[in-house]
Amino acid sequence: MTETFTPPTRFAVPGRIDVSNRAAAVWQTATITEIRRESPHAATFRLAVPAWAGHLPGQHLMLRLTAEDGYVAQRHYSIASAPDDAGHIELTLDHVEGGEVSGWFHTVAEPGDTVEVRGPLSGFFAWPGDRPALLIGAGSGVVPLMSMLRHHRARGLDVPLRLLVSARSPEELIYAREYGAETTPVFTRSAPEDVPVGRMAAAHVAPLLAEQPPGGWEAYVCGSNGFAEHASRLLVAAGQPVHRIRIERFG
Amino acid sequence: MNVTRGFAGRPRVPNAALPPGQYDAGDDWPVLSAEVTPELTPAEWSFRIDGLVEEPRSWSWEQAHELPASAYEGDIHCVTSWSKFGVRFGGVSLDTFLDVVRPHVSATHAVAYSHTGYTANLPLADLTGGRAWIAWEFDGEPLAPEHGGPARLLVPHLYFWKSAKWIAGLRILDHDEPGFWEQNGYHARGNPWEEQRYSGD
């Protein structure tokens, strides 16, 4: 055992973009301009960030709230909006049970309130719109994938894009009115008539791999750890190369 | 200070062990790996140290387990803001491995690499002096695959992305060479007490 070790996969590919460290280092004031309900548990918060440096679909930011005594709570959130909306970004947040930050957004926040953000952050999950994209998300895991879908539409990109999105029920499916032919929803608890109920399965993933474009898909998976483990195994079993699966897990 | 209207936050529990900007995750242990969890058995696992050392070598699972056991009991801190208190890892101190290979006097840094191809860079000083381990047990049980099992690097005084899961080896260098997250905008060292989250912090 003296030979040089070669990893069995080439996972550690560089990020899709060069990350702007300057933008990531600065906290900026963000003003809530609009709140839209997406589902019983999720709402979209539109923020005006005048000096926003711009982002790529799939990137996230760090957000912080400060109490009067100086106590600070900060969290990472994916950006839901496409990059083209100068000076504005949108976040879609689940109301997490007992969550001090999401709880504030869902029960206190009003247009005009200010919070602080820094970003955009991280290049690994970014999608510049170059490679064919196979997007798989569950619950609010669809948020960064929606930024990709919106970008794809806003720019009229020719590169293929498909979205598999899992939700408990049609009522819980966020962005339901925005999906088109590129999207297949999967419902795990209740579904519209004629739509089967059940977990995402090989039967959902295999057809997408079968119709993969030349050069193959770049796969982006986002959701809870349990979902990410399940979906990534489905992808591997269907033949998607491990080093072309990018995963973002809640935590 | 930019006070958020109407934000009270969680009850304040004074906790000197909580680095700035972190919260106590309690019993949760979030999984944040960016890659597919590998199906790696102990028989397939190996750990190697090479680069600027006198005697590069590799250890199999059995050979690593013949080394003196060492445990870490304390806290871990993730850059995504959660900290976890009172965890207990079992394995072997990295000093034990490094004593065998003997890094050159010119050695200053290391790149830790995983069986998945993941990498993280660390100053050699953060890997020595009883502050780093190769860990294969958590709370007395085998380390779960999604947490890096069969074995991971453990460097608990730095943000946890430095504690490479599915550890395959260390390459000892005389310069710093950014790893996976470090190439994606994260800090070269990642000291939670100085809140070194992103490059430029």
Side-chain angles (χ1 to χ4, degrees):
Chain A
M1 295 180 58
T2 52
E3 74 282 5
T4 301
F5 174 82
T6 307
T9 66
R10 293 182 293 118
F11 159 73
V13 289
R16 302 304 318 281
I17 54 162
D18 288 328
V19 177
S20 165
N21 298 324
R22 194 173 301 278
V26 179
W27 286 100
Q28 302 184 60
T29 298
T31 306
I32 300 176
T33 60
E34 186 190 340
I35 302 174
R36 298 196 306 271
R37 182 139 296 283
E38 302 284 0
S39 79
H41 299 109
T44 292
F45 299 84
R46 185 172 175 79
L47 305 172
V49 192
W52 186 246
H55 62 275
L56 282 179
Q59 286 194 286
H60 61 265
L61 53 68
M62 199 165 211
L63 182 146
R64 77 177 175 193
L65 307 180
T66 306
E68 282 186 9
D69 65 352
Y71 173 86
V72 167
Q74 55 189 25
R75 299 289 185 275
H76 287 88
Y77 291 119
S78 293
I79 300 165
S81 46
D84 310 294
D85 201 354
H88 290 87
I89 48 175
E90 292 187 355
L91 308 177
T92 301
L93 308 185
D94 267 334
H95 190 172
V96 178
E97 176 116 24
E100 56 181 341
V101 177
S102 71
W104 180 85
F105 270 96
H106 278 269
T107 62
V108 179
E110 294 172 357
D113 281 333
T114 58
V115 299
E116 289 177 287
V117 298
R118 61 181 288 196
L121 300 172
S122 190
F124 176 67
F125 205 71
W127 181 66
D130 51 354
R131 300 181 189 171
L134 175 55
L135 317 178
I136 304 186
S140 58
V142 76
V143 170
L145 311 181
M146 195 60 191
S147 177
M148 300 177 192
L149 174 49
R150 287 168 167 164
H151 180 62
H152 188 262
R153 277 198 198 149
R155 295 288 176 92
L157 300 177
D158 290 331
V159 64
L161 177 145
R162 296 285 181 276
L163 171 63
L164 264 181
V165 54
S166 175
R168 287 193 189 89
S169 66
E171 298 71 43
E172 298 275 354
L173 180 65
I174 60 178
Y175 313 130
R177 287 159 303 177
E178 285 189 57
Y179 299 126
E182 80 291 311
T183 299
T184 307
V186 178
F187 297 106
T188 57
R189 301 272 172 81
S190 65
E193 226 172 299
D194 303 332
V195 177
V197 174
R199 203 177 187 202
M200 194 175 287
H204 296 107
V205 177
L208 295 169
L209 267 292
E211 63 167 62
Q212 65 182 299
W217 295 110
E218 197 75 14
Y220 292 78
V221 175
C222 187
S224 67
N225 177 55
F227 177 80
E229 287 287 305
H230 177 65
S232 60
R233 279 196 204 107
L234 290 177
L235 278 170
V236 172
Q240 176 70 9
V242 166
H243 68 275
R244 295 192 64 189
I245 302 175
R246 295 165 191 271
I247 305 178
E248 189 142 286
R249 308 170 199 241
F250 298 160
Chain B
M1 193 166 77
N2 208 333
V3 173
T4 313
R5 182 191 65 82
F7 175 66
R10 288 180 184 164
R12 312 294 187 266
V13 181
N15 186 348
L18 199 60
Q22 297 290 107
Y23 68 93
D24 183 353
D27 292 334
D28 287 349
W29 189 6
V31 174
L32 289 157
S33 15
E35 72 264 62
V36 179
T37 301
E39 290 178 15
L40 186 68
T41 64
E44 292 163 328
W45 181 86
S46 64
F47 175 65
R48 175 174 177 80
I49 306 181
D50 57 20
L52 294 176
V53 296
E54 295 298 329
E55 280 182 57
R57 74 156 283 184
S58 301
W59 289 264
S60 68
W61 181 255
E62 287 74 23
Q63 290 167 334
H65 280 69
E66 286 164 10
L67 299 171
S70 175
Y72 169 73
E73 287 189 58
D75 313 328
I76 55 176
H77 311 287
C78 176
V79 71
T80 64
S81 295
W82 58 264
S83 291
K84 188 169 173 61
F85 292 100
V87 300
R88 187 167 186 284
F89 284 95
V92 169
S93 170
L94 204 53
D95 291 312
T96 306
F97 293 97
L98 288 168
D99 286 347
V100 174
V101 299
R102 301 197 307 282
H104 292 174
V105 287
S106 62
T108 57
H109 290 81
V111 170
Y113 53 94
S114 292
H115 283 267
T116 61
Y118 178 88
T119 54
N121 54 303
L122 299 108
L124 196 53
D126 281 315
L127 293 170
T128 52
R131 298 202 292 171
W133 289 260
I134 298 300
W136 42 67
E137 278 180 13
F138 179 77
D139 266 349
E141 301 290 331
L143 186 63
E146 62 187 9
H147 289 301
R152 76 182 296 164
L153 180 63
L154 175 68
V155 191
H157 68 283
L158 300 179
Y159 283 128
F160 219 44
W161 90 78
K162 296 288 186 180
S163 295
K165 296 178 177 182
W166 315 297
I167 187 71
L170 293 179
R171 195 163 296 124
I172 308 296
L173 306 169
D174 60 4
H175 60 279
D176 202 4
E177 218 174 83
F180 173 72
W181 285 118
E182 295 81 3
Q183 290 171 45
N184 277 285
Y186 287 76
H187 196 274
R189 177 150 186 255
N191 178 355
W193 296 97
E194 293 177 12
E195 224 178 336
Q196 295 169 338
R197 297 179 195 274
Y198 298 99
S199 172
D201 279 356

